[in-house]
């Protein structure tokens, strides 16, 4: 007997903690379903989506590097994710078709919701799919200026323009300005990737450093920020936040967020 399932796709994917998160919630709620990780190469993305579209047990998937932009060409987009955020991280079966949405923006913003960032300068590292969601959220709360650091400053400049954000697009190795919030929205610092460990001396003492990387959880960036006594937000915050929204779309139930502390212990064991 088959049972419903969802999954996370990416290249690479072995590092993903999403199956642990969703299975924890499925078990907690007594839902007879599964969630798995599937390695999908860029060249195989279209074939993967076509295959899953035909599988009635498949509820959808989360999408991670490097597919968040390419997947937009393969599914319906009723919420105009393409025209707003410009990247999809969640595919869901709806009616007879597949739709794409983005839970990254809300997941990213949740741990910052009590901060007043209106009029504040911010620095963001990266210009990929996750950076799209981050910049979308920052534009909505009216930050003052964004310094976007990326290997390709032209790509970064286009992204600032997309979200009508004032600021500067600069090379990745540029010195950091005195911003109140620094966000690493790139894969730098992830297992198998180069580290991102900039000089943080320009940041004020009340600055917040947010790294969306969660494998490893203690990145060189966060270690340097804590050594300076700065407030930090680790990648599990965004991961769990975006997963909670996706879980409800996949399985029609709200995850038990009151057990987040238990879940974090499982994820960091």
């Amino acid at each position: 007997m088959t049972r419903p399932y969802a999954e996370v796709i990416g290249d690479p994917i072995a590092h993903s903690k999403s199956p642990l998160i969703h299975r924890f919630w499925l078990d907690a709620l007594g839902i007879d379903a599964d969630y798995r990780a599937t390695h999908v190469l860029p060249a195989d993305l279209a074939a993967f989506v076509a295959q899953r579209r035909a599988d009635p047990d498949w509820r959808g998937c989360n999408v991670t590097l490097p597919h968040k932009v390419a997947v937009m060409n393969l599914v319906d987009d009723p919420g105009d994710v393409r025209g707003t955020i410009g990247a999809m991280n969640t595919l869901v079966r709806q009616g007879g078709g597949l739709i794409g949405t983005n839970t990254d923006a809300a997941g990213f913003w949740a741990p910052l919701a009590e901060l007043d960032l209106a009029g504040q300068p911010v620095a963001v590292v990266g210009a990929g799919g996750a950076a799209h969601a981050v910049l979308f959220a920052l534009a909505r709360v009216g930050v003052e200026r964004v310094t976007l650091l990326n290997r390709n400053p032209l790509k970064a400049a286009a992204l600032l323009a997309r979200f009508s954000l004032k600021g500067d697009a600069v090379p990745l190795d540029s010195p950091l300005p005195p911003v109140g919030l620094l966000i690493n929205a790139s894969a730098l610092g992830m297992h198998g990737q180069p580290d991102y460990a900039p000089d943080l001396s320009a940041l004020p003492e009340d600055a917040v450093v947010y790294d969306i990387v969660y494998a490893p959880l203690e990145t060189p960036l966060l270690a340097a920020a804590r050594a300076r006594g700065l407030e930090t937000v680790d990648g599990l915050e965004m991961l769990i936040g975006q997963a909670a929204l996706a879980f409800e779309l996949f399985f029609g139930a709200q995850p038990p967020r009151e057990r987040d502390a238990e879940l974090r212990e499982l994820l960091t064991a």
Side-chain angles (χ1 to χ4, degrees), residues 76-166:
D76 294 331
D77 182 18
D80 192 28
V81 174
R82 176 189 291 277
T84 53
I85 298 176
M88 290 177 176
N89 80 315
T90 306
L91 307 186
V92 185
R93 184 181 299 283
Q94 187 176 87
L98 299 182
I99 68 164
T101 187
N102 190 302
T103 63
D104 274 341
F108 156 76
W109 182 248
L112 300 176
E114 294 185 7
L115 291 181
D116 182 10
L117 291 175
Q120 293 289 321
V122 177
V124 178
V125 182
H132 280 70
V134 167
L135 293 169
F136 173 80
L138 293 175
R140 296 288 288 270
V141 299
V143 297
E144 173 62 23
R145 291 183 66 82
V146 175
T147 300
L148 188 55
L149 300 94
N150 192 52
R151 289 192 183 94
N152 183 342
L154 287 177
K155 180 180 179 181
L159 207 52
L160 289 177
R162 177 190 183 97
F163 296 106
S164 301
L165 286 163
K166 298 176 182 177

Side-chain angles (χ1 to χ4, degrees), residues 119-123 144-145 147 175-182 199-208 228:
Q120 293 289 321
V122 177
E144 173 62 23
R145 291 183 66 82
T147 300
L176 293 172
V179 295
L181 174 63
L182 168 63
D199 180 1
L200 302 179
S201 60
L203 272 59
E205 292 185 357
D206 60 351
V208 177
R228 258 211 62 195

Side-chain angles (χ1 to χ4, degrees), residues 32-69:
D32 185 21
D34 193 20
Y35 187 99
R36 59 192 71 159
T38 303
H39 185 203
V40 177
L41 297 171
D44 299 331
L45 182 61
F48 166 85
V49 172
Q51 182 186 52
R52 291 298 194 265
R53 189 187 295 270
D55 184 349
D57 293 322
W58 187 74
R59 296 292 182 84
C61 70
N62 290 116
V63 181
T64 189
L65 289 169
H67 304 313
K68 292 184 181 184
V69 174

